[in-house]
mmCIF file of all heavy atoms in Angstrom:
data_model
loop_
_atom_site.group_PDB
_atom_site.id
_atom_site.type_symbol
_atom_site.label_atom_id
_atom_site.label_comp_id
_atom_site.label_asym_id
_atom_site.label_seq_id
_atom_site.Cartn_x
_atom_site.Cartn_y
_atom_site.Cartn_z
ATOM 1 N N ARG S 1252 8.033 70.591 -46.379
ATOM 2 C CA ARG S 1252 7.314 70.166 -47.482
ATOM 3 C C ARG S 1252 5.909 69.543 -47.023
ATOM 4 O O ARG S 1252 5.764 69.153 -45.882
ATOM 5 C CB ARG S 1252 8.021 69.128 -48.279
ATOM 6 C CG ARG S 1252 9.282 69.774 -48.954
ATOM 7 C CD ARG S 1252 9.983 68.666 -49.829
ATOM 8 N NE ARG S 1252 10.326 67.516 -48.988
ATOM 9 C CZ ARG S 1252 10.974 66.416 -49.405
ATOM 10 N NH1 ARG S 1252 11.188 66.352 -50.807
ATOM 11 N NH2 ARG S 1252 11.275 65.424 -48.720
ATOM 12 N N GLU S 1254 4.584 66.757 -47.991
ATOM 13 C CA GLU S 1254 4.757 65.321 -47.562
ATOM 14 C C GLU S 1254 5.241 65.103 -46.185
ATOM 15 O O GLU S 1254 4.763 64.300 -45.451
ATOM 16 C CB GLU S 1254 5.740 64.626 -48.556
ATOM 17 C CG GLU S 1254 5.219 64.532 -49.943
ATOM 18 C CD GLU S 1254 5.531 65.809 -50.715
ATOM 19 O OE1 GLU S 1254 6.059 66.779 -50.140
ATOM 20 O OE2 GLU S 1254 5.209 65.782 -51.913
ATOM 21 N N LEU S 1261 0.266 62.262 -39.564
ATOM 22 C CA LEU S 1261 -0.206 60.922 -39.452
ATOM 23 C C LEU S 1261 0.387 60.133 -38.202
ATOM 24 O O LEU S 1261 -0.273 59.295 -37.659
ATOM 25 C CB LEU S 1261 0.191 60.084 -40.636
ATOM 26 C CG LEU S 1261 -0.629 60.480 -41.942
ATOM 27 C CD1 LEU S 1261 -0.042 59.817 -43.235
ATOM 28 C CD2 LEU S 1261 -2.094 60.077 -41.833
ATOM 29 N N LEU S 1270 3.361 58.812 -25.599
ATOM 30 C CA LEU S 1270 3.648 59.658 -24.585
ATOM 31 C C LEU S 1270 2.711 59.559 -23.334
ATOM 32 O O LEU S 1270 3.249 59.565 -22.165
ATOM 33 C CB LEU S 1270 3.750 61.138 -24.993
ATOM 34 C CG LEU S 1270 4.907 61.502 -26.017
ATOM 35 C CD1 LEU S 1270 4.637 62.969 -26.558
ATOM 36 C CD2 LEU S 1270 6.208 61.409 -25.356
ATOM 37 N N PHE S 1279 6.880 58.552 -14.423
ATOM 38 C CA PHE S 1279 6.207 58.710 -13.152
ATOM 39 C C PHE S 1279 6.648 57.661 -12.111
ATOM 40 O O PHE S 1279 6.886 57.909 -10.973
ATOM 41 C CB PHE S 1279 4.706 58.725 -13.320
ATOM 42 C CG PHE S 1279 3.935 58.996 -12.121
ATOM 43 C CD1 PHE S 1279 4.053 60.245 -11.394
ATOM 44 C CD2 PHE S 1279 3.020 58.122 -11.564
ATOM 45 C CE1 PHE S 1279 3.267 60.512 -10.302
ATOM 46 C CE2 PHE S 1279 2.256 58.354 -10.425
ATOM 47 C CZ PHE S 1279 2.476 59.625 -9.840
ATOM 48 N N LEU S 1290 -1.093 58.319 -1.075
ATOM 49 C CA LEU S 1290 -2.313 58.563 -1.811
ATOM 50 C C LEU S 1290 -3.207 59.527 -1.053
ATOM 51 O O LEU S 1290 -4.166 59.970 -1.656
ATOM 52 C CB LEU S 1290 -3.111 57.269 -2.177
ATOM 53 C CG LEU S 1290 -2.559 56.369 -3.143
ATOM 54 C CD1 LEU S 1290 -3.459 55.100 -3.334
ATOM 55 C CD2 LEU S 1290 -2.389 57.066 -4.563
ATOM 56 N N GLY S 1298 14.623 60.087 -0.870
ATOM 57 C CA GLY S 1298 15.902 59.749 -1.282
ATOM 58 C C GLY S 1298 16.032 58.308 -1.791
ATOM 59 O O GLY S 1298 15.224 57.850 -2.477
ATOM 60 N N ARG S 1303 17.017 51.162 -0.349
ATOM 61 C CA ARG S 1303 17.544 50.469 0.740
ATOM 62 C C ARG S 1303 16.588 49.443 1.396
ATOM 63 O O ARG S 1303 16.978 48.303 1.828
ATOM 64 C CB ARG S 1303 18.069 51.417 1.812
ATOM 65 C CG ARG S 1303 19.336 52.244 1.417
ATOM 66 C CD ARG S 1303 19.896 52.991 2.601
ATOM 67 N NE ARG S 1303 19.025 54.113 2.959
ATOM 68 C CZ ARG S 1303 19.262 55.336 2.391
ATOM 69 N NH1 ARG S 1303 20.330 55.609 1.594
ATOM 70 N NH2 ARG S 1303 18.502 56.303 2.782
ATOM 71 N N ALA S 1309 12.912 40.843 3.147
ATOM 72 C CA ALA S 1309 12.856 39.392 2.980
ATOM 73 C C ALA S 1309 11.697 38.994 2.184
ATOM 74 O O ALA S 1309 11.766 37.948 1.432
ATOM 75 C CB ALA S 1309 12.923 38.668 4.325
ATOM 76 N N THR S 1332 4.255 21.092 -23.825
ATOM 77 C CA THR S 1332 2.957 21.012 -24.195
ATOM 78 C C THR S 1332 2.584 21.659 -25.462
ATOM 79 O O THR S 1332 1.843 21.118 -26.363
ATOM 80 C CB THR S 1332 2.005 21.463 -23.023
ATOM 81 O OG1 THR S 1332 2.394 20.922 -21.817
ATOM 82 C CG2 THR S 1332 0.567 21.171 -23.272
ATOM 83 N N PHE S 1346 -11.953 16.912 -37.876
ATOM 84 C CA PHE S 1346 -12.389 18.121 -37.131
ATOM 85 C C PHE S 1346 -11.230 18.862 -36.680
ATOM 86 O O PHE S 1346 -11.137 19.313 -35.497
ATOM 87 C CB PHE S 1346 -13.303 17.739 -35.978
ATOM 88 C CG PHE S 1346 -14.489 16.807 -36.333
ATOM 89 C CD1 PHE S 1346 -14.492 15.522 -35.973
ATOM 90 C CD2 PHE S 1346 -15.540 17.424 -36.951
ATOM 91 C CE1 PHE S 1346 -15.561 14.720 -36.289
ATOM 92 C CE2 PHE S 1346 -16.642 16.567 -37.312
ATOM 93 C CZ PHE S 1346 -16.628 15.292 -36.938
ATOM 94 N N ALA S 1348 -9.991 21.815 -37.445
ATOM 95 C CA ALA S 1348 -10.353 23.204 -37.162
ATOM 96 C C ALA S 1348 -10.929 23.275 -35.741
ATOM 97 O O ALA S 1348 -10.806 24.298 -34.989
ATOM 98 C CB ALA S 1348 -11.235 23.836 -38.242
ATOM 99 N N ASP S 1376 -11.701 18.539 -0.650
ATOM 100 C CA ASP S 1376 -12.793 17.649 -0.275
ATOM 101 C C ASP S 1376 -13.726 17.312 -1.418
ATOM 102 O O ASP S 1376 -14.228 16.185 -1.631
ATOM 103 C CB ASP S 1376 -13.619 18.171 0.925
ATOM 104 C CG ASP S 1376 -12.680 18.332 2.143
ATOM 105 O OD1 ASP S 1376 -11.826 17.433 2.317
ATOM 106 O OD2 ASP S 1376 -12.944 19.267 2.887
ATOM 107 N N MET S 1402 2.392 26.041 -5.681
ATOM 108 C CA MET S 1402 2.992 26.655 -6.777
ATOM 109 C C MET S 1402 2.932 25.643 -8.044
ATOM 110 O O MET S 1402 2.632 26.164 -9.114
ATOM 111 C CB MET S 1402 4.311 27.120 -6.553
ATOM 112 C CG MET S 1402 4.940 27.996 -7.639
ATOM 113 S SD MET S 1402 3.963 29.449 -8.073
ATOM 114 C CE MET S 1402 4.577 30.610 -6.826
ATOM 115 N N PRO S 1403 3.203 24.410 -7.926
ATOM 116 C CA PRO S 1403 3.049 23.602 -8.989
ATOM 117 C C PRO S 1403 1.696 23.478 -9.568
ATOM 118 O O PRO S 1403 1.455 23.406 -10.814
ATOM 119 C CB PRO S 1403 3.530 22.163 -8.507
ATOM 120 C CG PRO S 1403 4.529 22.501 -7.430
ATOM 121 C CD PRO S 1403 3.957 23.711 -6.789
ATOM 122 N N LYS S 1412 -4.075 27.569 -19.312
ATOM 123 C CA LYS S 1412 -4.768 28.783 -19.674
ATOM 124 C C LYS S 1412 -4.082 29.368 -20.968
ATOM 125 O O LYS S 1412 -4.777 29.875 -21.910
ATOM 126 C CB LYS S 1412 -4.606 29.851 -18.591
ATOM 127 C CG LYS S 1412 -5.098 31.293 -18.973
ATOM 128 C CD LYS S 1412 -6.589 31.364 -19.098
ATOM 129 C CE LYS S 1412 -7.038 32.815 -19.184
ATOM 130 N NZ LYS S 1412 -6.529 33.504 -20.404
ATOM 131 N N ILE S 1420 1.693 29.820 -32.385
ATOM 132 C CA ILE S 1420 3.008 30.188 -32.820
ATOM 133 C C ILE S 1420 3.775 29.046 -33.404
ATOM 134 O O ILE S 1420 4.393 29.118 -34.475
ATOM 135 C CB ILE S 1420 3.737 30.814 -31.568
ATOM 136 C CG1 ILE S 1420 3.083 32.158 -31.148
ATOM 137 C CG2 ILE S 1420 5.219 31.039 -31.954
ATOM 138 C CD1 ILE S 1420 3.694 32.726 -29.912
ATOM 139 N N ILE S 1436 14.933 14.184 -46.061
ATOM 140 C CA ILE S 1436 15.445 13.512 -44.907
ATOM 141 C C ILE S 1436 14.787 12.169 -44.715
ATOM 142 O O ILE S 1436 15.296 11.244 -44.230
ATOM 143 C CB ILE S 1436 15.262 14.374 -43.695
ATOM 144 C CG1 ILE S 1436 16.132 13.841 -42.554
ATOM 145 C CG2 ILE S 1436 13.765 14.471 -43.235
ATOM 146 C CD1 ILE S 1436 16.205 14.845 -41.297
ATOM 147 N N THR S 1451 12.984 19.444 -37.701
ATOM 148 C CA THR S 1451 11.881 20.277 -37.145
ATOM 149 C C THR S 1451 12.288 21.136 -35.989
ATOM 150 O O THR S 1451 12.061 22.378 -36.060
ATOM 151 C CB THR S 1451 10.666 19.315 -36.623
ATOM 152 O OG1 THR S 1451 10.341 18.406 -37.680
ATOM 153 C CG2 THR S 1451 9.584 20.113 -36.231
ATOM 154 N N VAL S 1462 8.505 31.946 -27.819
ATOM 155 C CA VAL S 1462 7.659 31.314 -26.825
ATOM 156 C C VAL S 1462 8.383 31.505 -25.426
ATOM 157 O O VAL S 1462 7.715 31.879 -24.443
ATOM 158 C CB VAL S 1462 7.493 29.858 -27.123
ATOM 159 C CG1 VAL S 1462 6.871 29.125 -25.874
ATOM 160 C CG2 VAL S 1462 6.539 29.731 -28.273
ATOM 161 N N ASN S 1469 5.407 36.882 -19.147
ATOM 162 C CA ASN S 1469 4.157 36.656 -18.561
ATOM 163 C C ASN S 1469 4.294 36.049 -17.259
ATOM 164 O O ASN S 1469 3.466 36.285 -16.325
ATOM 165 C CB ASN S 1469 3.263 35.892 -19.474
ATOM 166 C CG ASN S 1469 2.828 36.596 -20.778
ATOM 167 O OD1 ASN S 1469 2.697 37.801 -20.765
ATOM 168 N ND2 ASN S 1469 2.668 35.860 -21.811
ATOM 169 N N ASN S 1499 1.498 46.358 -1.491
ATOM 170 C CA ASN S 1499 2.189 47.513 -0.924
ATOM 171 C C ASN S 1499 1.453 48.773 -1.484
ATOM 172 O O ASN S 1499 1.338 49.808 -0.757
ATOM 173 C CB ASN S 1499 3.636 47.534 -1.393
ATOM 174 C CG ASN S 1499 4.508 46.737 -0.359
ATOM 175 O OD1 ASN S 1499 4.870 47.225 0.690
ATOM 176 N ND2 ASN S 1499 4.719 45.431 -0.735
ATOM 177 N N ALA S 1509 6.076 50.582 -3.813
ATOM 178 C CA ALA S 1509 5.471 49.721 -4.869
ATOM 179 C C ALA S 1509 6.164 49.999 -6.218
ATOM 180 O O ALA S 1509 6.523 49.146 -6.957
ATOM 181 C CB ALA S 1509 4.046 49.939 -4.966
ATOM 182 N N ILE S 1519 14.853 42.947 -13.524
ATOM 183 C CA ILE S 1519 15.040 41.478 -13.439
ATOM 184 C C ILE S 1519 14.564 40.777 -14.734
ATOM 185 O O ILE S 1519 15.281 39.958 -15.303
ATOM 186 C CB ILE S 1519 14.383 40.902 -12.251
ATOM 187 C CG1 ILE S 1519 14.975 41.471 -10.925
ATOM 188 C CG2 ILE S 1519 14.287 39.426 -12.251
ATOM 189 C CD1 ILE S 1519 14.145 41.113 -9.723
ATOM 190 N N ILE S 1531 20.317 30.672 -25.683
ATOM 191 C CA ILE S 1531 19.733 30.072 -26.899
ATOM 192 C C ILE S 1531 20.508 30.420 -28.175
ATOM 193 O O ILE S 1531 20.658 29.575 -29.044
ATOM 194 C CB ILE S 1531 18.252 30.563 -27.034
ATOM 195 C CG1 ILE S 1531 17.409 30.094 -25.875
ATOM 196 C CG2 ILE S 1531 17.676 29.989 -28.344
ATOM 197 C CD1 ILE S 1531 16.022 30.570 -25.805
#
Side-chain angles (χ1 to χ4, degrees):
R1252 294 180 302 176
E1254 294 83 358
L1261 290 173
L1270 290 173
F1279 185 59
L1290 291 176
R1303 283 192 289 267
T1332 306
F1346 307 107
D1376 297 326
M1402 188 59 84
K1412 171 73 169 65
I1420 294 176
I1436 197 171
T1451 304
V1462 169
N1469 291 331
N1499 276 278
I1519 293 173
I1531 297 176

